[in-house]
Amino acid sequence: TPVYWFTSSWLRRLRVLTLGDFFVERYGSRRVGALYALIGTVGMMAFIALGFSAMSKTILAITPKTAAEFTPAEAQEYEAAYRQLTEADALAAAEILSLERLQAREELERAAPAGLTAEQQVELERLQAQRAATVISHLRLDALVWGMCVIVMLYAAAGGLEAAFLTDTLQGMCIIALSILLIPFAWAQINVLYGGEGVQGALSTIHARLPDSHFDIFGSPHAIDFTWYYIVALSFMALLTVVIQPNMLVTCGSARDEYAARYGFVVGSYMKRFCTVLWGVFGLAAIVLYAGHIEDSDLVWGYATRDLLGPLGIGLVGLMIACLMAALMSTADCLMLTSASLLTHNLYRPLVPGRSPRHYVWAGRVLGGAMLAGSAWIALQFDTILQILRFIWEMNVALVPAFWLGIKWRRANRWGAWFSMLFGVTAFLVLPLLLPTLLPGLRTRPELLKRTDPAPLVREYQATEGDVRIRAAEIGAWHTATVAGEPVGPELQPLAVGQAFTRTYQLPRKGVFWTQDVQADDRGTLSGRGALSLELVLLDRLGFDLERNPYALNETLRILIRTLSPIVVMLLICLLTPPDDEAMLARFYAKMHTPVVADREQDAAELAASLADLHRHDHLLLFPGSRWELYKWNREDAGGFVLSVVAVFAVLGFMQALLSMGG
């Protein structure tokens, strides 16, 4: 986030209508601008799909049917789902590997003994791979998604950018309300169920009920994919990709001057960070309240809304739905308008020139509607919200070199931009999706069904009441297995609260090459789901033993390859091809050297002076005369960056303070 302090001013200095115009001006190529419009729009579609998925799943959980309302087919599905979960829990408890399930279901003390056969292990993996539908709603997921698509389409097309700004201001307040609405009710419910009083009592209960491992910030065994190195790689990729999203130009470019762009965007981003911490705080409370009751974590927010707010009978469930709709609309309308203007201005207008403004307005409405329909389709192609998030994070890597090198390296040219974008789209989007579609046998080829088999992970903790209960469950299962005469490990010793102990985790096995894992059908046949990670297939062919790596390490390698390889491609192409027109480059960088002032006439005069004297601002460059556009920091640059870094630690301190309370 501190880097936004600089990138916000860059985007404001561009002085363009859409980010596609940057590629046209910088590289002198409408084709590059049109390609950016297509790629950027797909990324915006994924963002809206995330909102559709989150809201629809929450409403599904808020509107469940009772058993008496099930149709025969729904009753059969519901019964089969719980049978799958019961069988999986019993097998997981038998091998004492799935500690989350043991902690969540204390009745597993009566589960099957330890020591699984090979067939039982295969059956466990099959059951855990299947996503059981344990919530039967009055509404259908696809109907909800398409219904919201139509509502947002009408809502956004009826207004415009000014209408979106005004409504987003109100809806932003609803998002903040959404972030805190459930927390006090969750804490109050914890105090009712487990004793305690006030905030301190609820937080103390959370610490007591949950194992110490639930409070790991990096690489918790319960979120093992989020290791420190994966988060570093993900942050590096996000640093490069988030700036080139089409909506970033709209946000920063609409500010009255570059200081307003900087201050407004950075402060707004940190408000979002604090809200995110509050969502995590509610997540911990939800584990205490609902572990063992909800299998699909995407449904927790809706389940909690119905359970905590519904009994009050004062309309808070409706308020929550309104806040969710506001959150979706405030994102969807802005992204729809941004993408529609991008497609109209940088793709449709060059192809169909010379038409009236009314014609282009209607073209934008049609393109915006098509974009929203595509978002709804994308939302229905993913199983979980996290899968959509990963798709979004990796969507814009093809655009990274053309933007960053275009801003900072005069030697970057249109050939490098064109080939790097084509390479990124082809290698990381088109081929991974197209090859399994054209060659469906790839999904079941044994060499592509490899799954990670990493070494066990040993962690040391201070025992909480939750750890003590888990150890008691393990000892009970150990004694049951011993009485049955089955092979077990050494006898476990009871724990006391506060005692230091180590725990060994067998990390879950996950598919190496498929973005949505390797899953089994009803007959137990394994197949790859999602897109094929060609970069990991290449590493495997080169002899790397990816099966022995933790899943997080493979994902880290994939992220780094996807992020860096388009940059390497562009660097090589640019060095092997002639540079762009020097006069065009001089005009572009003269504009980038000129700070934006609020008065439009004064800003136009300053820009004209810079264009008349192309070396007017050379003193601002760190390496004048070179091909690199690196600027010296002034007091505003340094002060804002330092304060932004301090804000990072403020967010982390806020999170740590909440985690420490009651511990």
Side-chain angles (χ1 to χ4, degrees):
T1 304
V3 178
Y4 290 163
W5 187 253
F6 299 102
T7 58
S8 298
S9 65
W10 301 350
L11 293 170
R12 184 63 184 90
R13 289 188 187 187
L14 287 175
R15 300 173 173 90
V16 292
L17 181 63
T18 71
L19 202 50
D21 289 344
F22 156 74
F23 293 91
V24 176
E25 286 193 10
R26 172 60 181 82
Y27 296 108
S29 172
R30 290 188 179 274
R31 292 183 178 181
V32 175
L35 182 58
Y36 168 79
L38 290 173
I39 300 173
T41 297
V42 174
M44 295 295 93
M45 289 164 61
F47 265 107
I48 296 177
L50 180 69
F52 282 149
S53 180
M55 180 179 175
S56 58
K57 289 190 174 186
T58 300
I59 293 179
L60 286 180
I62 293 176
T63 58
K65 287 184 177 181
T66 64
E69 296 172 311
F70 289 168
T71 65
E74 290 170 343
Q76 185 177 3
E77 178 184 2
Y78 192 78
E79 181 182 351
Y82 269 101
R83 185 167 60 249
Q84 288 176 12
L85 296 179
T86 302
E87 293 170 1
D89 286 342
L91 290 171
E95 61 176 1
I96 312 299
L97 293 182
S98 183
L99 298 178
E100 299 95 325
R101 295 184 185 277
L102 278 169
Q103 185 271 327
R105 296 176 173 86
E106 295 180 87
E107 68 268 17
L108 288 182
E109 293 173 332
R110 305 186 301 275
L116 297 186
T117 65
E119 291 77 10
Q120 287 175 318
Q121 177 65 37
V122 171
E123 177 67 6
L124 171 63
E125 292 174 357
R126 183 185 73 81
L127 291 168
Q128 291 178 334
Q130 293 177 342
R131 297 181 61 80
T134 55
V135 173
I136 306 295
S137 174
H138 286 281
L139 304 171
R140 288 172 46 195
L141 178 64
D142 56 349
L144 267 175
V145 170
W146 287 110
M148 285 307 306
C149 175
V150 172
I151 291 174
V152 175
M153 193 181 301
L154 296 173
Y155 163 84
L161 193 59
E162 184 177 1
F165 168 78
L166 294 173
T167 53
D168 285 5
T169 301
L170 174 62
Q171 290 163 343
M173 300 176 188
C174 292
I175 296 173
I176 296 175
L178 177 150
S179 300
I180 62 177
L181 187 58
L182 284 177
I183 293 176
F185 295 99
W187 286 346
Q189 183 74 354
I190 288 173
N191 285 336
V192 169
L193 293 176
Y194 300 105
E197 186 175 341
V199 174
Q200 185 68 29
L203 293 173
S204 297
T205 300
I206 291 173
H207 275 274
R209 299 290 300 179
L210 296 181
D212 194 33
S213 57
H214 277 66
F215 300 91
D216 287 347
I217 300 300
F218 298 116
S220 165
H222 309 287
I224 199 63
D225 297 338
F226 290 90
T227 59
W228 67 267
Y229 52 82
Y230 176 73
I231 292 174
V232 169
L234 199 63
S235 299
F236 172 66
M237 181 178 66
L239 164 67
L240 299 179
T241 59
V242 71
V243 183
I244 54 184
Q245 294 168 1
N247 58 310
M248 296 290 285
L249 186 279
V250 175
T251 304
C252 300
S254 60
R256 66 177 181 271
D257 56 30
E258 60 185 71
Y259 179 77
R262 284 177 150 184
Y263 183 82
F265 195 81
V266 172
V267 171
S269 296
Y270 278 115
M271 291 176 66
K272 291 167 61 178
R273 306 296 179 259
F274 279 101
C275 287
T276 305
V277 173
L278 294 175
W279 301 340
V281 168
F282 169 75
L284 289 174
I287 296 173
V288 174
L289 291 174
Y290 303 119
H293 301 283
I294 307 174
E295 191 65 23
D296 185 351
S297 59
D298 290 351
L299 301 176
V300 168
W301 198 277
Y303 191 98
T305 297
R306 178 169 55 88
D307 181 58
L308 298 176
L309 305 183
L312 300 177
I314 57 175
L316 291 181
V317 173
L319 177 61
M320 177 61 75
I321 294 176
C323 289
L324 286 165
M325 291 186 68
L328 173 62
M329 288 181 172
S330 67
T331 301
D333 62 359
C334 180
L335 298 188
M336 174 186 166
L337 291 167
T338 299
S339 300
S341 63
L342 184 66
L343 291 172
T344 303
H345 185 65
N346 295 109
L347 183 63
Y348 183 78
R349 187 191 292 267
L351 293 175
V352 188
R355 301 300 176 91
S356 67
R358 181 179 177 84
H359 174 89
Y360 291 121
V361 167
W362 275 102
R365 286 172 173 163
V366 172
L367 290 170
M371 179 262 191
L372 273 181
S375 301
W377 179 82
I378 290 175
L380 296 172
Q381 304 310 304
F382 292 90
D383 292 329
T384 68
I385 291 173
L386 183 58
Q387 291 172 357
I388 304 178
L389 276 173
R390 285 175 170 166
F391 176 77
I392 293 170
W393 292 335
E394 299 175 11
M395 179 63 227
N396 290 325
V397 291
L399 305 173
V400 164
F403 178 83
W404 284 87
L405 293 178
I407 290 285
K408 290 301 176 183
W409 190 39
R410 285 175 175 258
R411 189 63 176 80
N413 62 25
R414 71 184 67 181
W415 297 107
W418 183 252
F419 277 100
S420 65
M421 291 166 72
L422 285 179
F423 168 79
V425 170
T426 303
F428 304 132
L429 181 62
V430 176
L431 288 180
L433 294 172
L434 188 61
L435 287 178
T437 302
L438 297 178
L439 303 171
L442 290 176
R443 296 191 181 276
T444 54
R445 291 186 64 169
E447 62 269 27
L448 295 180
L449 296 178
K450 293 181 179 179
R451 288 186 289 178
T452 56
D453 189 19
L457 178 68
V458 179
R459 291 285 177 86
E460 183 172 339
Y461 298 106
Q462 298 290 323
T464 65
E465 290 181 14
D467 292 308
V468 172
R469 291 197 316 277
I470 289 176
R471 178 57 60 87
E474 293 174 325
I475 292 173
W478 186 91
H479 283 296
T480 302
T482 303
V483 171
E486 299 194 9
V488 292
E491 182 177 4
L492 299 172
Q493 300 300 317
L495 289 177
V497 174
Q499 177 182 344
F501 73 103
T502 60
R503 186 176 290 285
T504 300
Y505 296 91
Q506 181 61 53
L507 305 186
R509 301 186 67 196
K510 293 190 176 183
V512 173
F513 303 118
W514 299 95
T515 57
Q516 294 183 38
D517 209 347
V518 173
Q519 296 189 12
D521 59 21
D522 292 335
R523 295 171 296 177
T525 302
L526 295 176
S527 63
R529 293 282 308 278
L532 181 62
S533 299
L534 296 177
E535 57 272 51
L536 295 183
V537 174
L538 176 61
L539 290 180
D540 180 71
R541 294 293 185 269
L542 292 175
F544 289 87
D545 188 5
L546 301 179
E547 292 177 278
R548 299 299 300 171
N549 291 343
Y551 180 74
L553 180 55
N554 288 338
E555 285 295 289
T556 300
L557 293 173
R558 188 167 68 88
I559 285 174
L560 293 177
I561 293 172
R562 290 194 172 203
T563 304
L564 297 176
S565 56
I567 298 176
V568 173
V569 168
M570 182 163 178
L571 287 170
L572 292 176
I573 296 295
C574 290
L575 293 174
L576 295 174
T577 54
D580 286 334
D581 178 64
E582 192 61 38
M584 178 186 70
L585 295 177
R587 289 193 299 272
F588 175 80
Y589 286 110
K591 182 172 66 170
M592 292 302 296
H593 295 164
T594 307
V596 177
V597 294
D599 184 88
R600 292 190 177 185
E601 292 184 1
Q602 182 183 351
D603 185 67
E606 289 291 324
L607 187 57
S610 297
L611 293 173
D613 180 7
L614 297 177
H615 299 286
R616 180 187 180 204
H617 294 291
D618 282 358
H619 64 282
L620 300 176
L621 296 174
L622 194 60
F623 303 111
S626 73
R627 309 297 287 177
W628 293 100
E629 290 285 320
L630 303 177
Y631 306 143
K632 298 175 183 176
W633 286 11
N634 57 30
R635 181 177 297 180
E636 181 182 306
D637 295 330
F641 182 76
V642 169
L643 289 176
S644 297
V645 173
V646 170
V648 170
F649 288 97
V651 174
L652 295 175
F654 175 59
M655 177 175 64
Q656 189 61 47
L658 289 174
L659 289 178
S660 300
M661 291 177 64

